[in-house]
Amino acid sequence: MFALSRRRLLALAGIGGLTGTVASAPAVAAPARGDSVAKIYREVLHVHTRWVEEQWDPAIGAYKAADFRFAAVLGNAVLLGMKDYDSRLAGVDAATLRARTVATIKRCAASNQLAGGTEWGRRLLGDSTVELYLVLAARLLWTDLDPATQGNVQRIAEGQAAYAYQLNAGNDPMSGDWGPNGTDGGWRGDTKLAEMGVLVEALAPGIAWTTDAQSAAAWRARLRFWATNASALPEADRANPTVLDGERIDRLSSAHNLHDTFIVERHKSADPHHQAELWRTAGRAAIHFLIAGRKVPEVLTRQPNGDQLWRTLRLLASDAGEPVQPMAADRYHLYGRDVLPLAFLAQVLGDRDAARAEADLAERLMPYLRFAPAYRLTKFGGEEKHEPEARAELAIAYLFHKLRTTPVPPVTREQFFRRAAGTRDFGGDVGLTAHQSATAFAAAVTKPDFVTFLWQPNHDHWLVDTRVPAFLPARVTPSSHWTKAYRKIRDGVDATATVLAVNGGYAGFTTLPTGTVVYASTGLPGEGGLTLFTFAMPGIPGLDGARTFTFAGGRAELPDEMIGDITFTPRKARYVRMLGREPATPDGYALWSFAVLDVTGADLAQGAMPTASSSDPYSPSRHATDGNPQTRWAVAPEERGRADSWIAVDLGSAVRVAGARIAWDAAYGRRFAIQTSTDGVTWTDAAEVPQTRTAARWVGIDGRAGIVTHGGDGRITVTATEVRAPAPIIEGYAGGRTNLARAAARTLPTAKGLSVSDADGHLSVFNLSAAAARDVTVRLPARRTLYRGEQVLTKWGLEWTVSLDGGTARVEPPRFTLAGDPPPGTRFLVRDSHHLTVTAPATRRAVVTLRKGTWSETVRVPAGKSRSVSVPGAPVTPTADLARGRTTFPTSPLPPGMTSPHRAVDGDPATSWRPGAAGRMVVDLGSVTAVAKVRLTWTRGRRRPHRLEASPDGRVYGPLGARARYVAVVVEGWRPGDAELVHLAIT
């Protein structure tokens, strides 16, 4: 947390008019030299003001109230505090903007119920957050406001805090059934993290701006309670005695708002965007304390389990700074709403990984803002109210930058993804298994109604559309599933494997540490697809309006026909329509405009009255031709599953037409036709979209990714927006480093009843049947790579033995490589990452050089004899240690003097857990399991008395018995210099 002085406050973006303990200050120059992110925010706030000015309503003399559009005043207030306000960028002069902003604050404050009005306010759901923005905007322009308005603003701040306080743990009757569920919260299906966060937001402005010390103290205690519980996980919090704002977490925490894999669900699906609400809330609340010159409550900057929740978002991160949305995608590419959490994490908490994500997102904001519909910070999803919220949050993010002397330096992109790399099975309730590597993100979702495989090569947010399954048919309903996350710390490799049983067949998916993915199936209808984003968004890498495909014998550049002109041979027609063939998303079809072009390119359809197969009541067909780029036509909700939906335009009489132009919304047509008619009854295809090309066995995509198929007819069909490559085995390679032709031409391993790929040297083995496979021989063409288990050298390769249960898969990393020329019949038994046995044939000796990393050893084995070899070092994988790499408690924040308990279970002899005065750590074994032995390894130093405790639920502990899920180590009276715990091993 950065220190804040009065002098620094006065320098805050040149904003004057601050009251209370801080006097007015003259304007100063905006962004500090070297703060490229702040400069972008400044520019975006200016340009976005063009949208704000569209919201001015002269009839009421204020910005519109619908969808809380008047909340845009916070962005205005920040702009007006800049010395270098730029009317050219904003499209409005400063005097006009100031007058309109002050008038809006005056009107909205007076109309709020807490100030005696009747139009809005007091309600926690929606209104209280907007009140927070309004109060902050008013405080930034305080000297511009008349005394009556100042009084109304103060009544809103204090009144909302008092209202939230008097509700205690009850629901707000004005918000319907919305509420925190008392003090219990919720975690399965629907977290209450945001609801408790709203209570924090309702309290914060009152605490920051009141002069009533007694009320402030009561409100601050309630804020501490809700902020502590917003991110509560009982088994973690009850093991954490850290004191925040004078209270221990283990005594204050009562709610359960997280899954024990540190992810939240919203509307029955994992929701990373909603998880980030933890830092949106903290940012919205903290800025009031900072501007008021008051101490920020510690609980806002040291949230329980905050580090673990942020690690989850990094595991799901893209190159745009925002996380992938693996299930419900209604917040997909909603860039404006993702700024504040990252800015708070980076510029307030000082997190350099967050600074990287913030910088990556900031780089995309101006191109995104200028993309149609222009001047909007929220596109491709969300709700109308998100637009003014995004502006307010961007303004707060800008203030955080201005409160720092220098911005927090980001790590490099390579460092970010290297540090974020890992895998996690989030559990059966969540139904998500994710893998972040240095070169790609991939995941498998097994949650009913959301089943999908995801792949994002190069972490590229605008290459593969992850709303559509990768290779797996859309909208499948598995009868059963199996999934496993391999972790390097336990298994020697970061990888995942998933198998689905679907309609009598099977589909499997493995993800490798190289970023490569492997899909295998028994042959499912509609499989093998990969949907691409292909449109022009100048300034976004890779979005130049076309995709370039390479394949054997050639290359093809296919343009985006979803946004560009669709031309055809000129013809006479009165009616022109778009007839859907296949929607790209489950939301059917939606478009901002539908133009019919004459031979000169002029739009003949504008102003015409279209008809459609169906329309959403809020998005009627007339919006497609009304000339307004911010209105749209969408199919009726009940028709979203219909592939052949259409919209048609009557031009009034038969005229010569030569093309069409469609501006699609997020629900676009993957395949569609433009048809013409002279009578509206008989239709003729004028153009089929998109264009197609075919390839055999492999295809490269823009040098960013590649697809290789094995088996089947080898036919791959590509369009500008899709690769379709149905095959028994499909390999997806991230980046352009792989020789795709060579990968396609290689001989794959073979095994009776199993599907096997050796992509990137890792074995992906699938049993796509219900029957178990026992001691099956896998013939490996490669002679130089050894895997865990038994393998025999033959004249043509290696024979490796494997067993797999039905409907499962396995990923095996290479454990050793060998050199030399040992004779056929030489056997290798690889027990783990550090131990193997070489057995020579009965009649010939074997001489072989074994290598692992920098280690190597030449082994000479007499005929018929065996020799065992051990590699020095640690950790050994896979491990039988039940504690290795498991979740540990306390999580964050740690008690004073304690280092992370994870250091005792990381398998690294160079790290250790320092107990500190609290002296207690817990390891979560994942489930209740048999415990036979616990081994503790300490550093040198005095060993304090210690004991072992156990619990089945993480709540009540007793002496360690034969079975446990949670095992605790309690150290009594630890002092600096005493022994630290190097290893906690449980078998």
Side-chain angles (χ1 to χ4, degrees):
M1 177 63 193
F2 53 80
L4 183 67
S5 66
R6 288 180 179 235
R7 183 178 297 277
R8 191 68 195 131
L9 263 172
L10 298 180
L12 171 60
I15 294 171
L18 302 181
T19 63
T21 61
V22 181
S24 300
V28 298
R33 182 174 298 176
D35 193 344
S36 59
V37 172
K39 291 176 182 177
I40 292 171
Y41 290 168
R42 171 192 174 276
E43 183 180 10
V44 172
L45 279 170
H46 272 93
V47 176
H48 186 255
T49 305
R50 296 173 180 269
W51 174 85
V52 176
E53 288 308 291
E54 293 173 1
Q55 312 314 312
W56 179 252
D57 186 348
I60 63 173
Y63 296 113
K64 296 175 183 176
D67 301 306
F68 296 118
R69 298 181 189 210
F70 59 80
V73 294
L74 177 52
N76 295 2
V78 170
L79 281 177
L80 291 167
M82 296 179 184
K83 182 179 180 181
D84 57 349
Y85 176 80
D86 190 333
S87 59
R88 178 187 57 84
L89 278 177
V92 60
D93 63 86
T96 299
L97 186 67
R98 184 179 297 274
R100 290 180 171 182
T101 302
V102 169
T104 300
I105 293 173
K106 180 179 180 179
R107 183 186 187 282
C108 292
S111 62
N112 187 282
Q113 292 187 35
L114 294 163
T118 59
E119 294 184 12
W120 73 293
R122 186 180 279 116
R123 186 178 64 164
L124 289 180
L125 177 58
D127 296 51
S128 62
T129 301
V130 176
E131 288 169 345
L132 179 150
Y133 301 143
L134 183 73
V135 170
L136 184 59
R139 285 291 175 173
L140 295 177
L141 294 174
W142 198 249
T143 57
D144 290 286
L145 305 180
D146 61 81
T149 300
Q150 291 178 345
N152 286 337
V153 169
Q154 188 68 14
R155 280 188 282 275
I156 292 171
E158 295 179 341
Q160 190 64 68
Y163 180 68
Y165 180 82
Q166 64 91 15
L167 286 172
N168 200 0
N171 282 359
D172 171 22
M174 299 180 68
S175 299
D177 60 0
W178 178 95
N181 190 31
T183 61
D184 294 337
W187 58 283
R188 184 178 281 119
D190 227 349
T191 180
K192 298 301 180 181
L193 181 153
E195 284 82 345
M196 293 186 180
V198 166
L199 284 157
V200 170
E201 294 171 7
L203 291 158
I207 302 168
W209 299 108
T210 190
T211 58
D212 182 345
Q214 185 175 354
S215 294
W219 298 340
R220 189 179 281 268
R222 191 62 52 81
L223 180 147
R224 178 178 59 218
F225 175 83
W226 290 121
T228 298
N229 280 277
S231 54
L233 175 64
E235 45 267 61
D237 299 342
R238 295 184 187 187
N240 195 342
T242 299
V243 175
L244 298 177
D245 298 309
E247 286 282 350
R248 289 173 47 146
I249 292 174
D250 56 355
R251 294 174 181 170
L252 196 60
S253 176
S254 64
H256 189 170
N257 277 323
L258 319 177
H259 283 271
D260 58 15
T261 48
F262 300 102
I263 198 167
V264 305
E265 286 189 293
R266 187 68 166 174
H267 303 314
K268 296 181 170 53
S269 69
D271 191 339
H273 180 90
H274 204 78
Q275 186 156 321
E277 202 68 28
L278 180 67
W279 303 288
R280 283 191 195 90
T281 289
R284 292 165 180 158
I287 193 63
H288 277 269
F289 294 97
L290 293 172
I291 299 302
R294 294 179 183 267
K295 180 184 177 182
V296 177
E298 191 177 13
V299 71
L300 295 180
T301 59
R302 303 182 68 204
Q303 299 105 320
N305 307 302
D307 289 355
Q308 289 66 32
L309 290 167
W310 170 227
R311 193 171 297 135
T312 295
L313 293 197
R314 285 159 49 204
L315 185 70
L316 305 177
S318 71
D319 69 346
E322 71 168 18
V324 175
Q325 301 288 313
M327 298 187 195
D330 58 338
R331 302 294 188 269
Y332 199 63
H333 291 136
L334 206 66
Y335 281 0
R337 293 302 315 283
D338 291 314
V339 170
L340 183 56
L342 296 176
F344 181 81
L345 281 161
Q347 306 309 322
V348 178
L349 302 191
D351 189 289
R352 296 187 62 197
D353 290 295
R356 172 77 272 153
E358 184 193 16
D360 287 341
L361 181 58
E363 286 180 3
R364 289 160 170 77
L365 285 180
M366 275 308 301
Y368 180 92
L369 187 69
R370 295 189 182 279
F371 185 75
Y375 312 132
R376 292 180 68 96
L377 285 164
T378 56
K379 298 182 174 78
F380 308 107
E383 305 169 44
E384 284 298 318
K385 69 176 183 179
H386 288 152
E387 192 64 28
E389 277 199 277
R391 179 177 178 83
E393 291 172 4
L394 182 66
I396 295 171
Y398 179 81
L399 294 180
F400 285 148
H401 276 263
K402 298 311 300 170
L403 283 166
R404 296 198 67 95
T405 303
T406 57
V408 172
V411 299
T412 66
R413 286 189 179 92
E414 292 75 17
Q415 289 172 326
F416 178 91
F417 286 109
R418 187 166 63 247
R419 289 153 61 103
T423 65
R424 195 178 308 170
D425 179 353
F426 286 94
D429 283 340
V430 177
L432 172 65
T433 303
H435 185 178
Q436 184 74 272
S437 72
T439 55
F441 170 81
V445 177
T446 54
K447 184 88 167 181
D449 300 325
F450 299 100
V451 175
T452 188
F453 294 154
L454 298 91
W455 182 46
Q456 195 178 72
N458 297 334
H459 314 106
D460 191 333
H461 212 213
W462 288 107
L463 179 59
V464 175
D465 188 345
T466 55
R467 295 171 299 178
V468 184
F471 311 126
L472 185 72
R475 294 181 285 277
V476 299
T477 304
S479 56
S480 65
H481 68 268
W482 173 94
T483 191
K484 177 179 176 65
Y486 296 85
R487 299 178 60 207
K488 189 172 183 178
I489 192 171
R490 290 190 57 82
D491 306 293
V493 64
D494 283 335
T496 73
T498 302
V499 176
L500 309 176
V502 182
N503 298 329
Y506 288 86
F509 190 62
T510 60
T511 69
L512 306 180
T514 56
T516 295
V517 297
V518 180
Y519 173 87
S521 83
T522 55
L524 302 179
E527 71 182 356
L530 196 67
T531 300
L532 309 176
F533 288 108
T534 307
F535 53 83
M537 189 185 294
I540 300 294
L543 284 185
D544 57 5
R547 291 292 179 199
T548 300
F549 300 93
T550 54
F551 40 82
R555 58 188 283 126
E557 182 175 297
L558 300 182
D560 170 32
E561 296 167 296
M562 302 300 169
I563 292 180
D565 292 354
I566 303 164
T567 59
F568 46 79
T569 303
R571 66 197 62 203
K572 284 272 190 176
R574 174 174 174 173
Y575 303 91
V576 180
R577 75 176 180 178
M578 183 287 298
L579 175 66
R581 304 285 196 206
E582 181 185 358
T585 75
D587 294 326
Y589 304 92
L591 51 84
W592 297 100
S593 64
F594 180 34
V596 177
L597 310 178
D598 66 11
V599 293
T600 69
D603 181 9
L604 303 174
Q606 185 167 329
M609 183 58 68
T611 56
S613 55
S614 72
S615 293
D616 186 302
Y618 298 101
S619 301
S621 59
R622 68 176 182 275
H623 285 172
T625 58
D626 64 2
N628 185 344
Q630 297 191 33
T631 61
R632 66 172 192 159
W633 164 74
V635 298
E638 63 272 16
E639 291 283 283
R640 288 175 179 173
R642 176 178 171 179
D644 63 346
S645 294
W646 54 266
I647 183 169
V649 176
D650 181 356
L651 301 177
S653 62
V655 295
R656 195 168 179 79
V657 297
R661 182 187 304 124
I662 298 176
W664 289 101
D665 193 11
Y668 62 94
R670 176 181 286 123
R671 283 192 280 272
F672 61 93
I674 300 299
Q675 297 183 323
T676 62
S677 174
T678 56
D679 59 8
V681 176
T682 303
W683 296 88
T684 303
D685 287 351
E688 283 279 351
V689 178
Q691 302 178 46
T692 62
R693 298 288 189 277
T694 58
R697 297 294 176 200
W698 65 272
V699 63
I701 308 168
D702 265 0
R704 289 179 163 87
I707 304 298
V708 170
T709 66
H710 302 277
D713 63 11
R715 180 185 176 89
I716 301 175
T717 303
V718 300
T719 70
T721 59
E722 184 185 39
V723 176
R724 181 68 63 174
I729 292 180
I730 306 169
E731 296 166 346
Y733 293 91
R737 70 188 188 284
T738 302
N739 185 320
L740 299 175
R742 184 179 301 166
R746 79 185 194 279
T747 301
L748 284 191
T750 58
K752 185 177 180 180
L754 302 177
S755 299
V756 188
S757 164
D758 60 354
D760 296 335
H762 292 72
L763 296 182
S764 294
V765 188
F766 302 87
N767 182 358
L768 304 179
S769 70
R774 296 291 178 239
D775 298 323
V776 176
T777 297
V778 181
R779 292 177 172 82
L780 306 175
R783 294 171 53 88
R784 303 297 181 188
T785 305
L786 300 180
Y787 301 91
R788 186 168 63 94
E790 187 172 27
Q791 46 241 284
V792 181
L793 191 65
T794 68
K795 292 182 179 179
W796 50 265
L798 286 163
E799 291 186 346
W800 176 64
T801 303
V802 67
S803 295
L804 276 179
D805 290 338
T808 68
R810 178 172 168 180
V811 176
E812 269 299 329
R815 300 290 182 173
F816 296 90
T817 58
L818 56 87
D821 191 22
T826 303
R827 292 180 177 272
F828 302 90
L829 178 60
V830 179
R831 291 180 171 82
D832 53 44
S833 60
H834 286 62
H835 304 92
L836 79 161
T837 299
V838 182
T839 302
T843 58
R844 296 183 62 184
R845 74 167 187 159
V847 180
V848 60
T849 298
L850 300 167
R851 294 193 175 95
K852 176 182 173 62
T854 59
W855 172 90
S856 67
E857 183 175 330
T858 299
V859 181
R860 294 173 174 83
V861 186
K865 302 295 184 179
S866 299
R867 181 175 172 188
S868 295
V869 180
S870 296
V871 181
V876 176
T877 57
T879 181
D881 179 2
L882 299 173
R884 172 88 65 80
R886 301 297 190 189
T887 299
T888 57
F889 310 134
T891 52
S892 60
L894 289 169
M898 182 184 289
T899 57
S900 173
H902 183 74
R903 295 160 66 93
V905 298
D906 62 3
D908 185 348
T911 65
S912 59
W913 171 60
R914 181 178 303 143
R920 187 173 188 272
M921 68 161 284
V922 177
V923 61
D924 178 3
L925 304 181
S927 62
V928 175
T929 188
V931 174
K933 182 179 180 181
V934 177
R935 180 171 56 87
L936 304 178
T937 305
W938 301 86
T939 63
R940 293 180 179 178
R942 178 173 50 186
R943 294 187 187 177
R944 290 288 182 175
H946 58 272
R947 66 181 185 275
L948 299 175
E949 297 177 343
S951 171
D953 59 9
R955 290 162 171 79
V956 179
Y957 284 80
L960 177 65
R963 295 179 64 80
R965 172 172 175 173
Y966 301 90
V967 176
V969 179
V970 183
V971 181
E972 298 176 1
W974 189 92
R975 294 181 179 179
D978 289 348
E980 300 177 8
L981 185 60
V982 178
H983 294 304
L984 165 59
I986 301 175
T987 52

